[in-house]
Amino acid sequence: MAQSTVSTMLHRLETRHRITVSRIAVIGLVASMPGHFSVEDVLAQSRGIGRATVFRTLKLLVDEGLICRVLLEDGRLHYRVSHDTHHHHLVCKECGAVEDFTTCDLEGLIAGLSVRTGFDITSHWLEFYGLCRTCRETVPASRNAILTPS
Amino acid sequence: MAQSTVSTMLHRLETRHRITVSRIAVIGLVASMPGHFSVEDVLAQSRGIGRATVFRTLKLLVDEGLICRVLLEDGRLHYRVSHDTHHHHLVCKECGAVEDFTTCDLEGLIAGLSVRTGFDITSHWLEFYGLCRTCRETVPASRNAILTPS
DNA sequence: ATTTTTGCAAATGATTTGCAGTCCC
DNA sequence: GGGACTGCAAATCATTTGCAAAAAT
């Protein structure tokens, strides 16, 4: 699974960029991460690869759409291997599990807003937070802080 | 307008915190900002107030709900005087104008997702980006890059 | 009088940059 | 061979912290 992810990513990269030892290593790390990860997570395992190269490679992967950014509830940005083109995330606040979902029925809302405000709406951020099935049963009900980021 | 904002904010603060010269100054700056602003924007005008105090005060204002975070398309966080409790932003990519909107008809989407994934969804980030009416007429149509952040 | 808040300067942390050397195609 | 890429270390930028002095209630 991770292996096929790696070859897919490399294949998608080779058209416009060079395949190098460092890039293969970073992509390997990225593909081996469970769920979402920070730059720090990658750096921690990237022995022998320059810090700058890790940053540069991650940026490259984002630009090429091979990984996507995951916005955490507190505003931090994590990354994640991208599976679909347009999708959103549902992040568990407790264990960090992420579910992707592609249905984002915002068309109606967008249409209404466009008319009302005169904006030409071209993109959006949408992320949901909550507790996954497992954590729901584990986490004490008392800790039900409702922090709405936006 | 800005003045009344200042007194409202001070009044809401005095219950649980001390009103100090620095806080009045920071709140004055915040209230005078056109639209959304970065910490940097405040720091740039905060002569005589310690850097740390500016950070601490902004954090305090966020915690008290007096200002809110605005997520920019590229992931940067800005701030903005908060007018409603639960609302979202519509940000112009060109001039930075912000419209608030409170109707976020996500209930249906949330309900469906909850059932499908087993998540208990408690909060969300939702921000829209586009061109405001004015910029729509100014910006060349060729520059219609569709960058979907998430 | 007591507790909170402040300013400062140093510490920390994250990301970028300049550049000579190296590697890929 | 030549441009793309790398590692390194230093530079930059953003944010936090420790602490003694100052200010608020």
Side-chain angles (χ1 to χ4, degrees), chain A residues 69 71 75 77 86 88 106 109-111 113-114 117-127 150, chain B residues 36 69-78 88-99 101 125-133 135-136 143-150:
Chain A
R69 296 177 292 180
L71 177 68
L77 275 181
H86 185 76
H88 297 281
L106 298 173
L109 181 55
I110 289 174
L113 271 177
S114 296
T117 62
F119 266 69
D120 174 22
I121 298 175
T122 54
S123 69
H124 56 267
W125 265 111
L126 173 62
E127 307 262 2
S150 163
Chain B
H36 55 89
R69 296 177 292 180
V70 178
L71 176 68
L72 300 192
E73 198 168 18
D74 58 13
R76 282 179 304 157
L77 276 180
H78 271 208
H88 296 282
H89 304 119
L90 177 47
V91 184
C92 179
K93 302 200 275 196
E94 198 60 27
C95 68
V98 179
E99 291 264 347
F101 64 97
W125 264 112
L126 174 61
E127 307 264 1
F128 286 108
Y129 307 95
L131 294 179
C132 70
R133 200 192 305 270
C135 292
R136 230 161 95 180
R143 212 206 299 174
N144 57 355
I146 296 178
L147 187 155
T148 306
S150 162

Side-chain angles (χ1 to χ4, degrees), chain B residues 17-18 20 22-23 48-50 52-53 56:
Chain B
H17 303 278
R18 294 189 176 173
T20 67
S22 305
R23 283 176 178 169
I49 305 166
T53 301
R56 287 186 281 231

Side-chain angles (χ1 to χ4, degrees), chain A residues 17-18 20 22-23 48-50 52-53 56:
Chain A
H17 303 280
R18 295 189 174 171
T20 68
S22 305
R23 282 178 179 170
I49 305 167
T53 301
R56 287 187 281 230

